[in-house]
Amino acid sequence: MKTNIKNVLIAIVLPLAVGGLSSLISSGAMRQFNSMAKPPLAPPAWLFPVAWTLLYICMGIASLLIYTSSPDAGSGQKLRSAALAVYAVQLVFNFCWSPIFFNARLYYVAFAVLVCLWLLVALLIGFSLKLHKAAALLLVPYLLWLSFAGYLNLMIPALN
């Protein structure tokens, strides 16, 4: 498939919009979170929006690479469709985590969502390896950040 500026913009803006809306919904509760005890290794608050912005951009570029990949007809096309479906589902899980964690304060439910999100991203990386290796590499920092987020997610209720 041909890459054009419209596809590039959609691919990058979509995850940024999903993350931005989730953050906006949770912004009031995040202020209270800032006063809670944090685990060792917890980064400063300013790092979260920076990290997530970079991760969302990488996700968007990865999705574009998957979308524009040229797999073999038949099973390759099905793999690309499956990868894009997993990408969409992981965006939904990504969106849901913040309101569950910050607004509802359902920390263990949020952790379960995070585990599902981690599995979805791992699956997406596996699909991407067969479609476009650069897409898979762009998703690895996201998986690593989710692993770190899991540590933070579990430690917050333990310390508060």
Side-chain angles (χ1 to χ4, degrees), residues 7 58 77 86 88 128:
N7 289 344
C58 288
Q77 303 251 348
V86 169
S128 299

Side-chain angles (χ1 to χ4, degrees), residues 133-147:
K133 288 189 181 11
L137 291 173
L138 284 166
L139 293 167
V140 169
Y142 181 28
L143 191 67
L144 294 173
W145 185 259
L146 291 174
S147 301

Side-chain angles (χ1 to χ4, degrees), residues 17-83:
V18 167
L21 182 58
S22 181
S23 180
L24 183 65
I25 289 169
S26 304
S27 63
M30 282 185 208
R31 281 187 223 101
Q32 179 184 353
F33 172 78
N34 289 333
S35 66
M36 297 174 84
K38 307 291 185 308
L41 306 178
W46 64 265
L47 183 61
F48 288 98
V50 172
W52 276 112
T53 299
L54 293 172
L55 292 170
Y56 286 131
I57 291 169
C58 288
M59 277 192 270
I61 294 168
S63 74
L64 181 66
L65 293 174
I66 293 166
Y67 178 72
T68 58
S69 65
S70 300
D72 297 331
S75 64
Q77 303 251 348
K78 288 180 183 175
L79 180 63
R80 181 175 59 199
S81 294

Side-chain angles (χ1 to χ4, degrees), residues 71-154:
D72 297 331
S75 64
Q77 303 251 348
K78 288 180 183 175
L79 180 63
R80 181 175 59 199
S81 294
L84 291 171
V86 169
Y87 177 75
V89 172
Q90 72 80 28
L91 277 179
V92 171
F93 275 77
N94 183 297
F95 174 84
C96 291
W97 183 85
S98 288
I100 293 169
F101 184 88
F102 292 111
N103 295 58
R105 295 187 203 129
L106 297 171
Y107 302 121
Y108 297 111
V109 173
F111 182 74
V113 169
L114 195 59
V115 168
C116 292
L117 180 56
W118 192 96
L119 292 170
L120 288 164
V121 174
L123 181 61
L124 182 57
I125 290 171
F127 287 163
S128 299
L129 282 170
K130 297 174 185 169
L131 293 164
H132 200 296
K133 288 189 181 11
L137 291 173
L138 284 166
L139 293 167
V140 169
Y142 181 28
L143 191 67
L144 294 173
W145 185 259
L146 291 174
S147 301
F148 182 62
Y151 157 74
L152 295 173
N153 187 146
L154 282 177

